[in-house]
Amino acid sequence: MQIQIRGIQKTFGSFQALGGVDLDIESGELIALLGPSGSGKTTLLRTIAGLEFADSGRILFGGEDAAPLPVRERRVGFVFQHYALFKHMTVFENVAFGLRVRERKDRPDNDKIKAKVLELLDLVQLSGLDKRYPSQLSGGQKQRVALARALAIEPRVLLLDEPFGALDAKVRKDLRRWLRSLHDKTGYTTIFVTHDQEEALELADRVVVMNKGRIEQVGSTDEVYEHPATPFVFDFLGGVNVLPGTARGQNIDVLGVDVPLPCGIHEHTGPVDVYVRPGDLRVGDPAQPGFEAEIISVQRTGPIVRWDVHAKALDQRLEVEIPHLHHDVSRHAPGQIVRLRLNQYSVFARIPPPGAKSGSTLPDTKLIGRERERGRLG
Amino acid sequence: MTSLTLSDPRPSPPLKTRRVMPGFGLTMGITLVYLSLIVLIPLAGVFFKASGLGWDGFWHAISTPRVFNALKLSFGAAFFAAVFNAVFGLLVAWVFVRYEFFGKRVLDAAIDLPFALPTAVAGIALTALYSGNGWIGQFLEPLGIKVAFTPIGVVVALMFIGLPFVVRTVQPVLEEAEKELEEAAAVLGATRFQTAVRVILPTIAPSLLTGFALAFARGVGEYGSVIFIAGNLPMVSEIAPLLIIIKLEEFDYRGATAVAAAMLIISFVMLLAINLLQGWSRKK
Amino acid sequence: MTQPVDHSLQDPPKLPFEPLIQRNAVITEQPWVRWLLIATALIFLAGFLLLPLVAVFVEALRNGLGTYVEAVKDPDALSAIKLTLVVAAIAVPLNMLFGVAAAWAVTKHQFRGKQFLITLIDLPFSVSPVVSGLIYVLIFGAQGYLGPWMSDHDFKVIFAIPGIVLATIFVTFPFVARELIPLMQEQGTDDEQAALSLGASGWQTFTRVTLPNIKWGLLYGVLLCNARAMGEFGAVSVVSGHIRGMTNTMPLHVEILYNEYNFAAAFAVASLLALLALLTLVLKSYLEWRLGDELSATRKH
């Protein structure tokens, strides 16, 4: 089912939860709504389901306006963050609920309901647990019951609100892969909400990054990670260092180093911010262009070694990430001076007011281009 | 493993003597002494006295038609009042939790009036309202409904007394009920009525049953609010607690004790049954 | 409202949302159901709770203010008021001390049979008030276990003030403990252990750490205990003997006047008790507000 969202606005009191959202979702797509809490992603999902009502704008299900449809006639499958299983019903009755509450003329007979429920429980790999009560299930099992229950009404679209939010890390990973394969098998149009970028990138066909009630960027996982459209997306997906610079013609002066302005971009003059991910700062040859920084601390977080460095020219702390097997790791220790170069970066023009420059609050910037260092190693 | 068994040959001191918090002996002592003197020993006296009657004496004392009818009235009226309160208490709790309307906070506080109002005051006020020329009674009388001085009056008084028990046990449960459950039902296509019956009601059923049990237990033993409105006609509108008092006034201590013991035993059995029912429904 | 599939819908028409929202409202009822339920509840509460309260005051003032004042100033009424205050002044502090001690023992320590002890503390709530009186008659009455000894020593409990106090203590026994136990259970022992580790004595820990934490809950319990103590009828009725001017509490005095068909006077005294109930409710609401969520989790009866 194709879904079109047009100009959806929603305020709660004085808080604007959604400020004009447009989005097209293709049939059979698996889409992630990604953003920090308060970004409006859950509100958008609930509005699509019919659990919230937009102040203005419209939602089309396969071209048909969904607004006059009450939630119980929309045929959406909704999986709640905390499962919302009916505790007084068995797994079987939970899954059968959507069929049992149909009007008599549409209601399948008991045998059909039974067959359908058992088939769904088989699909979510819970065969044999149909007589259990929700309190007797693990978190991951509850989540799958909730999914089977949502699928029982053969929904036109499947909506999942933070589907793995309440699970521990290991289960979350397994369930994520399982859900991806289930989606490939069943082909339901699926939208899920998450604040976990890793989850969004691993699971979704396309990612919708949201912030403050607006969509910042829509794109494939590669696009949003490799080509962030806004400073927010840059920061939210993977963290970022922001270096102030000045553009002069074809070059930018960053910390006294000239780096080329991204190719294909017109000349630009004036203050800019250069965005570089911690992993895109590399230790350079002392002879090559670069800037000097002192290593303050070294921290190992699993497969990545993280340096806290102090850039002298800027009097600013920067973060550097290096793969743990990289030869740089063993060569450097706190207190050492290293020469850093920019491996890959984006440049945003800084629009007044000046002074606003730190990583997360970047309202008045405009992407003017991005560049990879020439001759960079893979 | 062997090294473990070898080390630390001293037995660790028993847990009992190692308390971090002070004052256990003092407060526990006060609690047990006071509890025994005020509650346990005097209550045990009833059963001691009753057992002195022997089974035959006990049966003889309570098997008179008057005692039998009084017990039947006390338990029957308490049951009907509790059923009524379960229905209306649920309605009131629902309206308080789910809707906004003018004067809600004041009314919410007023729910506890039957707890705060002395029972004798409630009794004479209800009698004044429901007697033949009272504010409410004058409308019921022409319809052939006599409330005051009949068993119906007993039920009315017990309804007044029991209402807060139901409201105050159901209210917090309704407040904490996950709204996602109702949303889930709606998304799955249930009508509002189906949601109420199939999802909400089962969720609050245990608390409703608790409220019912509390109202019932209170109603069985209630005295002050009932005796004014009941009329106290032997065999018809005479409640068991009143019969105990009458027997005491006649210095029939054995008879009074027998009725009291019968009340305690029946109440105990019924509450046990309700507890079992609740445990069973909670297990689900 | 059927629209052809159009990907470039630039300027969508405004939703005619008002009636739709009413129809769509997910987890509330249709307006007419809502209003029907509210109206039923309001009528029920007005007729069932408020009307009796109003009736007390109307009946009390039926024969004018003069009769009212006279009924309240009657020496027997005054002595009933005095006795009621005296009984409450003895019973409430005793139960308060017990309640704090019991709550401390139960919530700050671990021991076997804890749940059983809590059940025993609650026991007086499930005993009929009349039986509560009866148990003391069986012990201290003329034919009671201690009756002969008492008459030898010229010491009266039944048909005297000590009996009234005892019966009142019994029926109000669990109130304070019942409010404090859930509250203190929730608060745990971390604060106290911190105080002890800083060198405070047990008593200092209690007065400086525990007491400030539970003061509103304690007041709440005392308030309910007091309301019941002043209003208790059944238990006191059994042990009092109804001697006018001697062993009559206010509720008993109401009964005597009522049975003498002196309705105006009965309702006049009753109106004082009703005022006490109203005051209790107001204070209770205030305390609930003060306690906020500290108590809301434990607001059960």
Side-chain angles (χ1 to χ4, degrees):
Chain A
M1 178 73 42
Q2 196 177 43
I3 295 167
Q4 293 151 296
I5 296 160
R6 293 290 173 268
I8 292 288
Q9 293 198 7
K10 172 78 184 172
T11 52
F12 294 108
S14 61
F15 175 72
Q16 187 176 48
L18 293 174
V21 171
D22 295 281
L23 184 63
D24 282 306
I25 295 156
E26 297 303 322
S27 209
E29 241 186 335
L30 180 53
I31 280 218
L33 301 180
L34 174 68
S37 58
S39 60
K41 55 194 193 299
T42 294
T43 308
L44 180 61
L45 193 78
R46 290 170 57 86
T47 309
I48 297 170
L51 292 168
E52 303 280 354
F53 308 103
D55 298 336
S56 64
R58 50 197 280 171
I59 293 173
L60 305 176
F61 277 33
E64 179 198 356
D65 194 339
L69 284 181
V71 57
R72 64 172 164 276
E73 289 165 27
R74 278 197 192 193
R75 264 187 47 222
V76 293
F78 200 102
V79 176
F80 292 83
Q81 184 179 358
H82 299 287
Y83 326 123
L85 295 180
F86 305 128
K87 291 172 199 62
H88 59 284
M89 295 180 197
T90 58
V91 167
F92 183 94
E93 286 304 321
N94 263 287
V95 177
F97 185 87
L99 303 172
R100 291 212 197 280
V101 295
R102 284 194 189 163
E103 279 176 46
R104 185 154 297 155
K105 61 182 166 63
D106 303 328
R107 196 187 307 156
D109 61 34
N110 270 336
D111 291 342
K112 283 218 184 82
I113 290 180
K114 188 169 182 195
K116 175 88 185 171
V117 170
L118 293 181
E119 178 200 322
L120 281 167
L121 287 179
D122 191 41
L123 180 71
V124 299
Q125 300 170 4
L126 289 176
S127 301
L129 297 186
D130 54 318
K131 290 188 182 65
R132 298 251 186 119
Y133 284 92
S135 59
Q136 299 165 311
L137 300 178
S138 71
Q141 290 172 328
K142 284 182 197 168
Q143 189 61 276
R144 281 180 282 157
V145 174
L147 197 64
R149 185 177 70 174
L151 293 176
I153 59 169
E154 288 169 9
R156 300 195 282 182
V157 54
L158 189 58
L159 307 172
L160 308 135
D161 184 8
E162 301 260 6
F164 313 116
L167 300 169
D168 58 55
K170 174 78 175 72
V171 181
R172 193 185 298 195
K173 281 207 157 153
D174 293 346
L175 210 51
R176 216 189 269 165
R177 293 204 186 102
W178 173 81
L179 183 68
R180 179 71 234 189
S181 67
L182 183 79
H183 176 264
D184 295 342
K185 210 186 313 177
T186 57
Y188 279 109
T189 309
T190 305
I191 308 174
F192 74 99
V193 155
T194 180
H195 61 260
D196 181 349
Q197 41 143 332
E198 198 186 312
E199 196 168 289
L201 295 177
E202 183 178 328
L203 194 48
D205 297 325
R206 282 200 301 156
V207 177
V208 178
V209 185
M210 295 190 66
N211 182 35
K212 294 183 179 159
R214 291 175 193 281
I215 291 178
E216 294 269 341
Q217 188 175 6
V218 183
S220 70
T221 54
D222 287 345
E223 274 165 8
V224 291
Y225 193 81
E226 295 290 335
H227 306 289
T230 67
F232 174 82
V233 179
F234 219 125
D235 190 31
F236 194 72
L237 292 178
V240 72
N241 294 302
V242 183
L243 306 173
T246 311
R248 278 189 225 94
Q250 291 292 335
N251 284 319
I252 309 170
D253 176 12
V254 184
L255 303 172
V257 185
D258 269 357
V259 298
L261 196 64
C263 46
I265 301 298
H266 326 289
E267 290 189 2
H268 182 85
T269 303
V272 294
D273 279 321
V274 175
Y275 279 63
V276 55
R277 291 200 190 281
D280 290 333
L281 279 171
R282 288 290 157 83
V283 178
D285 198 300
Q288 279 182 344
F291 59 90
E292 295 204 326
E294 183 188 351
I295 301 178
I296 307 283
S297 66
V298 175
Q299 208 185 357
R300 183 181 282 271
T301 57
I304 282 173
V305 174
R306 195 167 276 145
W307 289 354
D308 227 1
V309 303
H310 181 255
K312 282 181 177 165
L314 194 59
D315 196 22
Q316 186 183 329
R317 290 274 184 110
L318 301 175
E319 221 176 73
V320 181
E321 283 175 5
I322 298 170
H324 74 296
L325 289 177
H326 197 280
H327 54 86
D328 282 342
V329 171
S330 49
R331 288 213 314 246
H332 297 283
Q336 272 185 314
I337 307 288
V338 289
R339 198 168 180 78
L340 295 174
R341 60 189 168 81
L342 307 181
N343 195 6
Q344 174 179 293
Y345 51 91
S346 290
V347 181
F348 292 89
R350 204 185 312 149
I351 303 167
K357 65 165 180 51
S358 106
S360 52
T361 54
L362 297 150
D364 297 315
T365 47
K366 182 180 98 187
L367 177 66
I368 55 177
R370 43 183 301 116
E371 173 66 344
R372 288 183 173 182
E373 189 189 50
R374 278 145 217 185
R376 142 183 190 260
L377 299 166
Chain B
M1 288 320 258
T2 43
S3 66
L4 254 181
T5 48
L6 288 175
S7 69
D8 199 3
R10 296 161 295 134
S12 56
L15 279 171
K16 238 179 161 176
T17 60
R18 294 191 337 205
R19 291 191 180 276
V20 179
M21 299 289 295
F24 180 71
L26 178 70
T27 55
M28 196 57 159
I30 294 176
T31 305
L32 289 181
V33 168
Y34 194 75
L35 181 71
S36 306
L37 285 180
I38 300 285
V39 179
L40 298 183
I41 296 172
L43 262 184
V46 175
F47 290 99
F48 193 69
K49 188 96 180 172
S51 66
L53 298 174
W55 176 248
D56 286 341
F58 176 73
W59 185 247
H60 183 73
I62 65 162
S63 63
T64 69
R66 189 172 175 188
V67 174
F68 187 74
N69 275 311
L71 286 173
K72 204 171 86 178
L73 176 65
S74 274
F75 282 91
F79 178 81
F80 283 116
V83 168
F84 180 89
N85 274 330
V87 174
F88 275 85
L90 175 61
L91 171 77
V92 168
W94 177 268
V95 167
F96 277 171
V97 173
R98 292 305 177 99
Y99 307 140
E100 288 302 321
F101 52 90
F102 179 76
K104 181 167 124 174
R105 287 198 56 174
V106 174
L107 270 182
D108 192 10
I111 289 292
D112 287 328
L113 185 71
F115 282 149
L117 196 68
T119 52
V121 179
I124 62 172
L126 288 171
T127 312
L129 284 177
Y130 286 96
S131 62
N133 53 0
W135 292 349
I136 298 177
Q138 61 179 326
F139 298 110
L140 297 177
E141 198 96 317
L143 302 173
I145 305 170
K146 280 188 66 129
V147 176
F149 317 126
T150 69
I152 301 177
V154 179
V155 176
V156 167
L158 296 184
M159 272 155 49
F160 177 84
I161 291 299
L163 180 69
F165 288 99
V166 177
V167 178
R168 291 300 188 224
T169 36
V170 174
Q171 209 175 6
V173 179
L174 260 184
E175 258 159 26
E176 276 155 40
E178 292 172 74
K179 79 179 205 300
E180 279 85 6
L181 289 181
E182 291 166 50
E183 289 181 344
V187 169
L188 291 167
T191 64
R192 197 58 197 152
F193 182 74
Q194 286 171 323
T195 307
V197 173
R198 294 180 180 223
V199 176
I200 302 173
L201 205 57
T203 311
I204 57 174
S207 67
L208 195 59
L209 200 61
T210 306
F212 170 85
L214 291 172
F216 176 74
R218 173 72 197 262
V220 168
E222 180 56 24
Y223 174 70
S225 59
V226 178
I227 53 160
F228 296 98
I229 200 172
N232 307 327
L233 208 61
M235 310 286 291
V236 177
S237 60
E238 188 177 59
I239 55 169
L242 178 65
L243 201 57
I244 294 175
I245 290 199
I246 292 173
K247 287 190 181 289
L248 273 182
E249 280 169 356
E250 293 165 352
F251 297 102
D252 179 7
Y253 281 22
R254 297 164 141 251
T257 310
V259 178
M263 278 179 67
L264 287 174
I265 291 167
I266 300 174
S267 300
F268 176 75
V269 169
M270 298 191 92
L271 288 180
L272 189 73
I274 288 170
N275 263 330
L276 289 177
L277 190 66
Q278 220 163 7
W280 171 76
S281 77
R282 205 163 279 156
K283 224 180 250 165
K284 283 182 70 173
Chain C
M1 287 286 285
T2 45
Q3 287 281 331
V5 184
D6 185 354
H7 288 262
S8 58
L9 275 172
Q10 288 300 313
D11 194 11
K14 283 257 174 194
L15 281 177
F17 68 85
E18 275 204 335
L20 287 179
I21 282 198
Q22 297 299 354
R23 243 190 85 189
N24 278 357
V26 178
I27 56 167
T28 190
E29 287 69 38
Q30 291 178 335
W32 69 267
V33 179
R34 241 165 19 215
W35 288 115
L36 186 72
L37 291 177
I38 292 177
T40 315
L42 288 186
I43 292 169
F44 171 72
L45 291 179
F48 223 71
L49 287 185
L50 301 186
L51 216 52
L53 191 64
V54 174
V56 171
F57 292 100
V58 171
E59 293 288 336
L61 295 167
R62 174 158 283 186
N63 297 343
L65 202 62
T67 339
Y68 181 88
V69 174
E70 217 165 273
V72 174
K73 277 172 69 179
D74 178 81
D76 289 345
L78 287 178
S79 90
I81 293 171
K82 206 177 116 199
L83 180 58
T84 299
L85 294 176
V86 167
V87 168
I90 300 171
V92 174
L94 281 176
N95 278 341
M96 185 178 97
L97 282 180
F98 161 76
V100 172
W104 181 274
V106 165
T107 60
K108 304 291 181 189
H109 300 93
Q110 295 303 325
F111 54 90
R112 288 175 60 156
K114 185 190 267 193
Q115 206 50 47
F116 184 62
L117 182 64
I118 295 176
T119 311
L120 287 183
I121 292 173
D122 273 348
L123 198 58
F125 273 164
S126 40
V127 172
S128 168
V130 169
V131 176
S132 318
L134 169 77
I135 59 178
Y136 294 110
V137 175
L138 291 183
I139 293 175
F140 299 110
Q143 301 175 26
Y145 297 111
L146 297 180
W149 183 86
M150 308 249 303
S151 62
D152 287 350
H153 293 78
D154 201 22
F155 183 64
K156 279 191 79 160
V157 171
I158 300 308
F159 303 152
I161 294 173
I164 297 175
V165 172
L166 269 179
T168 305
I169 289 178
F170 183 94
V171 293
T172 58
F173 186 85
F175 276 103
V176 176
R178 254 218 149 167
E179 286 306 322
L180 287 185
I181 287 174
L183 182 64
M184 287 167 70
Q185 215 137 37
E186 212 160 290
Q187 286 172 350
T189 55
D190 290 358
D191 290 10
E192 282 79 8
Q193 288 179 358
L196 291 170
S197 74
L198 294 169
S201 71
W203 179 248
Q204 282 171 324
T205 304
F206 173 73
T207 53
R208 296 186 189 202
V209 177
T210 311
L211 208 51
N213 276 341
I214 62 169
K215 61 172 184 275
W216 295 114
L218 181 61
L219 271 176
Y220 192 89
V222 166
L223 179 76
L224 297 182
C225 180
N226 181 63
R228 180 75 191 263
M230 291 189 171
E232 178 51 30
F233 179 72
V236 174
S237 175
V238 175
V239 295
S240 129
H242 304 83
I243 307 163
R244 287 183 92 134
M246 298 279 292
T247 59
N248 247 5
T249 61
M250 287 169 79
L252 296 179
H253 193 58
V254 170
E255 185 198 17
I256 289 181
L257 292 170
Y258 191 87
N259 286 343
E260 288 170 353
Y261 300 101
N262 189 353
F263 292 143
F267 277 103
V269 178
S271 73
L272 295 180
L273 289 167
L275 283 176
L276 172 76
L278 286 179
L279 183 69
T280 303
L281 288 185
V282 170
L283 286 176
K284 184 169 169 290
S285 301
Y286 171 77
L287 285 180
E288 271 164 16
W289 170 68
R290 270 317 286 253
L291 268 139
D293 37 26
E294 183 187 354
L295 194 76
S296 68
T298 61
R299 200 187 61 185
K300 293 179 197 131
H301 293 273

